[in-house]
Amino acid sequence: MRHYIIGKWNEGVDKTAVLAPVKEIFDRTREIPGIRAVKVIPCCIDRPNRYDIMIEIEMDPEALPAYDKSAPHKEWKERYGSLLAAKTIFDRED
């Protein structure tokens, strides 16, 4: 399956500065059994009505509970949760 996190940063967040540290956090999720690939993708258009970042995690559906409990997921929420004005989670089957 593919697990998507789509976020809109709060006003004033330096979208360029947060990209590398967010990528580093999500790169570590590849250590979780069942996670095959991770992409951190910034939006290519800077408009107020656009979301700013999309994270795509390719994983076995059975890996989702381990991902939810993982240190990288907790770090993402602790460090960046308050910097998000909006967030959408979407899952799809391959």
Side-chain angles (χ1 to χ4, degrees), residues 5-7 16 29 35 37 42 50 52 57 62 65-66 71-72 79 81 83 85 88 90-91 94:
I5 304 163
I6 304 167
T16 304
T29 65
I35 293 185
R50 300 290 195 273
D52 301 307
I57 306 172
E62 300 79 23
R79 287 181 60 187
L83 300 180
T88 298
F90 183 84
D91 298 303
D94 283 336

Side-chain angles (χ1 to χ4, degrees), residues 12-31:
V13 171
D14 184 338
K15 299 171 190 178
T16 304
V18 296
L19 195 58
V22 168
K23 184 175 180 343
E24 185 275 325
I25 289 171
F26 280 95
D27 281 347
R28 289 183 313 183
T29 65
R30 286 188 241 177
E31 298 169 9

Side-chain angles (χ1 to χ4, degrees), residues 3-73:
H3 177 76
Y4 297 92
I5 304 163
I6 304 167
K8 180 160 187 65
W9 297 116
N10 288 328
E11 189 78 25
V13 171
D14 184 338
K15 299 171 190 178
T16 304
V18 296
L19 195 58
V22 168
K23 184 175 180 343
E24 185 275 325
I25 289 171
F26 280 95
D27 281 347
R28 289 183 313 183
T29 65
R30 286 188 241 177
E31 298 169 9
I32 299 167
I35 293 185
R36 295 184 295 280
V38 176
K39 296 179 187 173
V40 176
I41 307 160
C43 185
C44 64
I45 302 293
D46 190 14
R47 290 189 179 172
N49 66 340
R50 300 290 195 273
Y51 275 59
D52 301 307
I53 191 168
M54 181 173 75
I55 299 142
E56 177 185 10
I57 306 172
E58 183 181 337
M59 68 172 77
D60 297 332
E62 300 79 23
L64 188 58
Y67 163 76
D68 284 341
K69 295 176 187 173
S70 72
H73 182 243

